[in-house]
Amino acid sequence: MEQTPAAPRERRKIIFSAIQPTGVFTLGNYIGAVRNWPPLQKDYDCLYCVADLHAITVRQDPATLRRNTLEAYALLMACGLDPEKSILFIQSHNPDHAQGAWVLNCYTQFGELSRMTQFKDKSARYADNINAGLFTYPTLMAADILLYQTNFVPVGEDQRQHLEITRDIAGRFNGVYGPTLTVPEAFIPKAEKGARIMSLQDPTRKMSKSDPNPKGLVSILDEPGVILKKFRSAVTDSEARVAAGPGKEGIANLMGIYSVFTGKDFAAIQEEFAGKGYGDFKTAVGETVIQALEPVQRRYKELMADKAYLEDCYRRGAQQAARLSHRTLEKMYKRVGFLHA
């Protein structure tokens, strides 16, 4: 009896995302981005990279950058990214990114780059080092994405402008040479309160690695006692009532964090802490975060104790990434008229 041939597996969509190695991830990075990446490995072909090329638009101490890059790679794995399920690599280990960015520079308009919000912000912050890399940063980001024929890019509000210029560059290149680059779309995870985590000391500002007040941010590698202390000193208001509302940005931020890790909505949180003071609530939030980060911290320590394994993973990841990116780079080179080597 003849067997019916199995149907070919449908090609999975490609997701690409990256994070800079400019210090240990904050709780905001974890909740808003990295925590959401591992589940995507089940349904998509995922590529994740440590974006060390992007990091040098701001002066870096070389030894610190090397250490931060390795630590960021280990942290991504500790947070659940599996090099057997995803391609996990370090950006500078694949020269196609820089080569692709140069080609895309020539299809990006000066005016487009000058309007980028991040260029304006960083130019003001680093007025003594407004370099060309800072200006052309978006074309390198476009190369990161387009080299892998990426379908979806997980983005927050602060990255939407970069995705839009990437889409414009891809469309322009395709318009000149015919279909070459996949025009990516934003991947918006299921909305949840608390996805945008604010500073614990200034709840009107996003939690950031560059916060001048160390009490404003929680690092995902902070010791339990440090985490608890930071939450207990979080800025709230004088009402002493666990509820969101006008003028209660600080308590709403804490409720958002608690909601992410407990799965409770704001109404349930308000009911749970009815009649209790902010001290009880802040302690509960801190203890919940400590419990959630414990397996990440444990796995990170295990990985950092085995540098040979990490090196094997990132070398293999770079080779896998290059095999994919080089196909696209060769197409781009052929389209623009470069003589084949």
Side-chain angles (χ1 to χ4, degrees):
M1 182 175 176
E2 274 189 33
Q3 288 188 337
T4 305
R9 183 174 77 94
E10 185 179 347
R11 179 182 172 274
R12 302 206 304 180
K13 299 292 187 182
I14 296 171
I15 282 184
F16 176 91
S17 198
I19 193 163
Q20 286 195 45
T22 50
V24 177
F25 307 159
T26 68
L27 186 65
N29 299 137
Y30 180 66
I31 290 175
V34 180
R35 174 176 171 268
N36 301 314
W37 293 350
L40 302 178
Q41 298 174 124
K42 182 184 175 200
D43 299 315
Y44 299 90
D45 287 337
C46 299
L47 296 103
Y48 298 108
C49 91
V50 178
D52 54 343
L53 292 177
H54 286 293
I56 64 170
T57 58
V58 176
R59 290 283 179 270
Q60 302 286 336
D61 173 71
T64 302
L65 179 59
R66 280 190 287 271
R67 184 181 68 249
N68 285 348
T69 299
L70 184 65
E71 289 177 351
Y73 190 89
L75 266 177
L76 289 176
M77 291 177 64
C79 290
L81 294 184
D82 185 346
E84 301 300 325
K85 296 178 181 176
S86 296
I87 296 177
L88 183 58
F89 68 105
I90 294 168
Q91 186 186 26
S92 64
H93 291 180
N94 183 3
D96 290 352
H97 288 247
Q99 291 176 269
W102 171 251
V103 175
L104 297 180
N105 270 332
C106 300
Y107 295 84
T108 307
Q109 301 304 301
F110 187 92
E112 290 176 305
L113 295 174
S114 65
R115 290 191 292 272
M116 298 300 289
T117 301
Q118 189 176 71
F119 174 69
K120 295 175 184 176
D121 291 347
K122 284 198 172 182
S123 295
R125 202 185 320 163
Y126 304 103
D128 59 340
N129 184 29
I130 306 174
N131 57 74
L134 186 62
F135 188 66
T136 60
Y137 181 105
T139 55
L140 176 57
M141 186 176 284
D144 297 338
I145 295 165
L146 298 176
L147 282 168
Y148 299 102
Q149 303 292 349
T150 299
N151 301 106
F152 298 113
V153 182
V155 291
E157 284 302 319
D158 56 345
Q159 293 295 336
R160 282 184 177 275
Q161 193 182 28
H162 283 113
L163 181 60
E164 285 308 311
I165 195 173
T166 297
R167 289 171 52 83
D168 291 343
I169 294 168
R172 184 175 299 128
F173 194 94
N174 291 343
V176 175
Y177 298 110
T180 309
L181 304 170
T182 299
V183 180
E185 298 177 24
F187 183 89
I188 311 297
K190 190 173 76 170
E192 59 179 5
K193 285 186 170 75
R196 185 174 174 85
I197 304 304
M198 313 306 281
S199 165
L200 298 184
Q201 293 298 308
D202 180 0
T204 64
R205 294 173 54 244
K206 183 180 174 183
M207 184 180 286
S208 169
K209 300 176 197 174
S210 58
D211 194 325
N213 186 346
K215 292 182 179 179
L217 66 97
V218 173
S219 155
I220 66 173
L221 294 180
D222 276 344
E223 294 289 335
V226 173
I227 293 174
L228 204 54
K229 189 174 181 180
K230 287 180 178 179
F231 275 105
R232 283 174 173 165
S233 67
V235 169
T236 47
D237 55 78
S238 58
E239 191 179 357
R241 183 173 65 90
V242 178
K248 296 177 72 66
E249 292 85 0
I251 203 68
N253 187 39
L254 296 181
M255 291 174 76
I257 295 169
Y258 192 69
S259 173
V260 165
F261 292 120
T262 63
K264 297 179 179 180
D265 61 20
F266 277 26
I269 295 170
Q270 186 171 336
E271 183 179 344
E272 180 182 354
F273 291 93
K276 296 181 181 178
Y278 282 170
D280 289 337
F281 181 55
K282 290 179 179 181
T283 297
V285 178
E287 289 175 344
T288 300
V289 169
I290 290 167
Q291 184 177 8
L293 294 181
E294 189 278 330
V296 174
Q297 295 182 351
R298 177 165 26 90
R299 179 59 178 150
Y300 171 77
K301 289 174 183 175
E302 292 170 356
L303 289 165
M304 288 301 292
D306 192 350
K307 302 289 200 307
Y309 173 65
L310 286 175
E311 183 176 339
D312 177 66
C313 289
Y314 67 64
R315 287 184 187 279
R316 189 156 36 94
Q319 291 167 358
Q320 292 170 328
R323 277 197 293 273
L324 293 178
S325 63
H326 208 63
R327 294 175 199 163
T328 301
L329 187 65
E330 284 190 332
K331 283 183 187 176
M332 292 167 65
Y333 274 22
K334 184 177 180 181
R335 294 283 200 271
V336 301
F338 291 157
L339 190 64
H340 185 68

